[in-house]
């Protein structure tokens, strides 16, 4: 006999609750990119954030990561607990590429391990990670001796080696050429398949958002609100030439540009 059908709701990773963030604009006025902003981000999903420049995407991502910025009211719950500050479970890859120039690739990646409890660090983790991102041969090179893609892979490896529960990415591939960008998107996708990690990624590329994301949120307006919230799991949306893809692309473009 069949048992009852159990529909499990995906868990909420982040609950942004009436968040207002105010910045001093440097000229005596206050500017609030986010005002009374609420949203839920589901666990185990890849959520992509799109929106015009300056609308508050990075601000939102930093708030998810617990990085205190500006003056804020409301808050972010992670796992049901109020975010008080950054935690090792959530790793953010910032918009600026920020490797340590005085450390080689291996040491840059190993730097991530400093934040882990010693008993959780496996000695082979470093080599495995360098292998996974294809940087073993370049392990002794310094950042200035790397291509843009290698630098970005080093940044990603440094974030992933800590085995975080959540990965926040702010336009991680924007400086890369198209073919490398596709490879990095694939790497991210493979990583998600292996770990089911919660990821939130800001991107300016609609194509990237639809390819990598399970859900695409388009922010817009002042203060920012969610203008499109689309489930993008449908395989038709992974095909850039399908009608469904083109239709959604047109809808998103009409609010971004
Ligand atoms: N530390 C800060 N102090 C003052 N204003 C800030 C600060 N950080 C961001 N802002 C302002 O807040 C607004 C939102 O910035 P944010 O960086 O979140 O935008 P964004 O959507 O990520 O833009 P982009 O796509 O260009 O990266 C902008 O008007 C920006 O000038
Ligand atoms: Mg930004």
């Amino acid at each position: 006999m069949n048992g009852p059908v159990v529909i499990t709701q995906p868990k909420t990773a982040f609950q942004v609750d009436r968040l207002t963030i105010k910045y001093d604009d440097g000229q005596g006025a206050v500017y609030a990119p986010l005002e009374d902003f609420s949203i839920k981000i589901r666990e185990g999903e890849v959520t992509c954030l799109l929106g015009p420049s300056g609308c508050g995407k990075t601000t939102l991502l930093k708030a998810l990561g617990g990085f205190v910025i500006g003056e804020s009211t409301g808050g972010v719950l992670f796992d049901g607990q109020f975010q008080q500050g950054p935690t090792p479970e959530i790793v953010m890859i910032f918009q600026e590429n920020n490797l340590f120039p005085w450390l080689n690739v291996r040491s840059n990646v190993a730097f991530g391990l400093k934040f882990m409890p010693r008993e959780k660090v496996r000695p082979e983790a470093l080599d495995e990670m360098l292998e996974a991102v294809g940087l073993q041969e370049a392990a002794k090179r310094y950042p200035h001796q790397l291509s843009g893609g290698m630098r970005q892979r080093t940044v990603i490896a440094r974030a992933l080696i800590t085995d975080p529960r959540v990965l926040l990415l702010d336009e991680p591939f924007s400086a890369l050429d198209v073919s490398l960008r596709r490879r990095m998107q694939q790497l991210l996708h493979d990583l998600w398949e292996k770990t089911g990690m919660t990821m939130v990624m800001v991107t300016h590329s609609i194509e990237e958002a639809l390819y990598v994301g399970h859900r695409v949120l388009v922010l817009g307006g002042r203060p920012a609100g969610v203008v499109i919230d689309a489930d993008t799991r449908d395989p038709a949306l992974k095909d850039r030439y399908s009608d469904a893809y083109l239709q959604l692309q047109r809808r998103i473009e009409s609010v971004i540009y």
Side-chain angles (χ1 to χ4, degrees):
M1 207 169 78
N2 290 333
V5 177
V6 180
I7 299 171
T8 48
Q9 293 284 342
K11 265 183 70 188
T12 299
F14 294 101
Q15 182 174 353
V16 180
D17 191 21
R18 304 193 63 182
L19 182 68
T20 297
I21 292 181
K22 292 180 185 160
Y23 290 124
D24 178 345
D25 76 348
Q27 286 155 29
V30 168
Y31 176 69
L34 298 177
E35 208 172 308
D36 246 353
F37 183 92
S38 298
I39 191 144
K40 283 183 183 168
I41 305 283
R42 292 184 285 269
E43 190 170 286
E45 276 189 9
V46 180
T47 302
C48 289
L49 296 177
L50 285 165
S53 178
C55 76
K57 303 178 298 294
T58 297
T59 301
L60 176 60
L61 210 60
K62 283 182 180 167
L64 296 179
F67 299 97
V68 182
I69 34 154
E71 186 194 322
S72 62
T73 58
V76 176
L77 295 158
F78 173 59
D79 251 0
Q81 305 279 333
F82 259 106
Q83 278 282 58
Q84 308 277 8
T87 94
E89 292 181 295
I90 305 172
V91 171
M92 178 152 171
I93 295 180
F94 288 91
Q95 210 162 349
E96 314 78 42
N97 182 326
N98 43 15
L99 288 173
F100 301 111
W102 61 89
L103 296 179
N104 66 21
V105 167
R106 193 181 175 84
S107 304
N108 260 290
V109 175
F111 189 86
L113 295 172
K114 286 189 201 292
F115 301 98
M116 289 176 77
R118 205 169 264 196
E119 65 277 9
K120 278 187 120 186
V121 178
R122 293 181 303 114
E124 62 280 17
L126 186 53
D127 284 314
E128 282 174 13
M129 185 51 68
L130 289 168
E131 175 88 50
V133 295
L135 279 175
Q136 222 149 17
E137 312 236 306
K140 290 200 173 131
R141 291 197 215 161
Y142 288 83
H144 74 275
Q145 297 168 314
L146 303 173
S147 71
M150 288 164 136
R151 272 198 289 272
Q152 204 53 357
R153 277 181 281 160
T154 309
V155 170
I156 291 176
R158 186 178 62 189
L160 293 179
I161 199 158
T162 61
D163 198 16
R165 279 182 55 202
V166 178
L167 191 59
L168 305 174
L169 307 117
D170 198 357
E171 298 188 41
F173 312 137
S174 51
L176 308 182
D177 70 49
V178 178
S179 72
L180 196 53
R181 199 172 173 139
R182 293 241 164 96
R183 271 177 30 216
M184 297 305 292
Q185 290 164 354
Q186 188 65 47
L187 185 94
L188 214 60
H189 179 77
D190 295 348
L191 174 74
W192 181 83
E193 290 218 308
K194 240 194 285 170
T195 62
M197 195 185 284
T198 305
M199 299 186 196
V200 185
M201 176 166 80
V202 173
T203 172
H204 274 288
S205 158
I206 297 175
E207 183 190 336
E208 182 165 278
L210 295 188
Y211 176 67
V212 180
H214 299 118
R215 179 190 188 192
V216 171
L217 295 172
V218 184
L219 303 187
R222 274 175 187 226
V226 176
V227 285
I228 296 176
D229 181 350
D231 188 314
T232 54
R233 258 171 276 237
D234 181 354
L237 292 172
K238 308 295 168 197
D239 168 9
R240 284 182 293 142
Y241 302 103
S242 75
D243 287 344
Y245 180 97
L246 293 170
Q247 231 171 41
L248 183 55
Q249 183 184 34
R250 206 167 295 141
R251 220 176 113 211
I252 296 173
E253 281 178 357
S254 72
V255 298
I256 299 190
Y257 304 128

